[in-house]
Amino acid sequence: NEYKSYLSMPPAPKQRYYTPGEVSLHCTSKDLWVSFLGKVYNLTPLAEKFAGNTLLKPIINNAGKDITHWFKTTGNKPELDPQLKTHIDPVSGCEVAYTPQGRFIHVPPPYPTSQWANDFGTPWWKDESYCVGQLSAKTRKIRIINVLTSQEHTIELCSEETMEEILNRFYKYNAHAGSYTWKYNGNNLVMSKTLEQNGVKDEDEEFYELNFNEEHWLPALHIYFNDDLTEA
């Protein structure tokens, strides 16, 4: 049965979704992530490659942030072919990239110059090798209560994640998380489904409208210890 605990289950090899809070932790030139158009990008290799280049400054200044406002968001699925916003340069009258925080890596200068080398290939914002996952469209918090120890943790997660992925998040709090059966209101949770699909409703918008503090009404998942321990 899918709801049975995942004994000896290793952490998932790749996280699919990230919260804005997780992205914000990567906010230095040595560890530089950004998000835009619903995706998360690790630009640390780019920062290493162009270390000391003044064109890197606007990117470093926005490390850990969402920069969707740099891009056009109209059209059919703009995330599939990211296009920088443009404007008409008042001096040349030409359409150029709109970079109010300063021109950055791979953006051509507004005027012709022999110093510009355009042989770099794919600009970084179109290079999917930097993409590490998707930005959650909606995050939510839940309480996880260990029935054996009475320990309780409140964690923020992505509403798109399955219970398997939530279990993987929980390994940082409990190395034996795979040795527990997960339940909500006494019912076993299907690990291949999301919280919503398991009947764990996200009611924070309703709480906001009613002026309730959602922290006091977070849904609680209970985990029940099984016989065998997973390896730490």
Side-chain angles (χ1 to χ4, degrees):
N1 292 334
E2 287 187 277
Y3 57 73
K4 292 299 184 182
S5 66
Y6 282 51
L7 298 178
S8 303
M9 173 184 170
K14 188 177 189 303
Q15 187 171 331
R16 292 191 305 152
Y17 291 94
Y18 294 87
T19 69
E22 289 177 304
V23 177
S24 71
L25 298 176
H26 305 272
C27 57
T28 71
S29 61
K30 303 295 184 183
D31 181 19
L32 201 169
W33 288 25
V34 297
S35 62
F36 59 88
L37 298 173
K39 293 184 178 181
V40 178
Y41 294 80
N42 179 1
L43 299 184
T44 307
L46 184 80
E48 292 173 349
K49 182 178 180 180
F50 291 94
N53 192 318
T54 56
L55 296 182
L56 192 62
K57 186 176 179 181
I59 300 175
I60 293 177
N61 289 344
N62 286 275
K65 301 177 182 178
D66 187 82
I67 56 171
T68 295
H69 57 284
W70 291 10
F71 300 87
K72 296 178 181 179
T73 56
T74 56
N76 185 31
K77 296 187 176 181
E79 71 277 7
L80 298 181
D81 184 25
Q83 301 289 336
L84 295 175
K85 286 183 177 177
T86 59
H87 73 133
I88 302 301
D89 183 83
V91 177
S92 68
C94 297
E95 184 179 14
V96 297
Y98 180 61
T99 55
Q101 297 185 45
R103 187 164 69 91
F104 49 84
I105 300 296
H106 295 163
V107 173
Y111 313 110
T113 171
S114 60
Q115 310 243 331
W116 169 247
N118 61 357
D119 57 353
F120 51 79
T122 304
W124 62 262
W125 57 88
K126 291 178 180 281
D127 190 342
E128 285 296 300
S129 68
Y130 292 118
C131 183
V132 294
Q134 298 184 64
L135 186 69
S136 176
K138 177 71 172 66
T139 64
R140 61 182 297 187
K141 292 181 179 179
I142 59 167
R143 293 183 297 139
I144 300 177
I145 300 172
N146 188 327
V147 176
L148 177 67
T149 64
S150 298
Q151 287 183 311
E152 179 176 326
H153 297 278
T154 297
I155 65 172
E156 183 182 34
L157 48 86
C158 305
S159 60
E160 302 92 342
E161 291 177 317
T162 65
M163 285 304 305
E164 291 170 352
E165 292 168 306
I166 295 170
L167 167 62
N168 186 61
R169 282 183 178 276
F170 197 61
Y171 272 114
K172 71 172 69 172
Y173 303 101
N174 187 327
H176 303 294
S179 289
Y180 288 77
T181 296
W182 293 59
K183 296 188 177 187
Y184 175 67
N185 283 346
N187 297 316
N188 293 337
L189 293 167
V190 179
M191 303 303 284
S192 61
K193 292 184 177 181
T194 65
L195 285 170
E196 196 79 19
Q197 290 169 341
N198 271 295
V200 187
K201 301 298 183 184
D202 185 356
E203 300 176 310
D204 62 346
E205 291 183 7
E206 289 86 347
F207 292 149
Y208 177 79
E209 292 175 0
L210 295 171
N211 202 26
F212 286 0
N213 184 345
E214 69 162 319
E215 298 288 338
H216 297 157
W217 301 91
L218 293 177
L221 307 184
H222 291 82
I223 56 176
Y224 293 80
F225 184 64
N226 296 319
D227 293 335
D228 299 318
L229 281 176
T230 55
E231 294 183 7

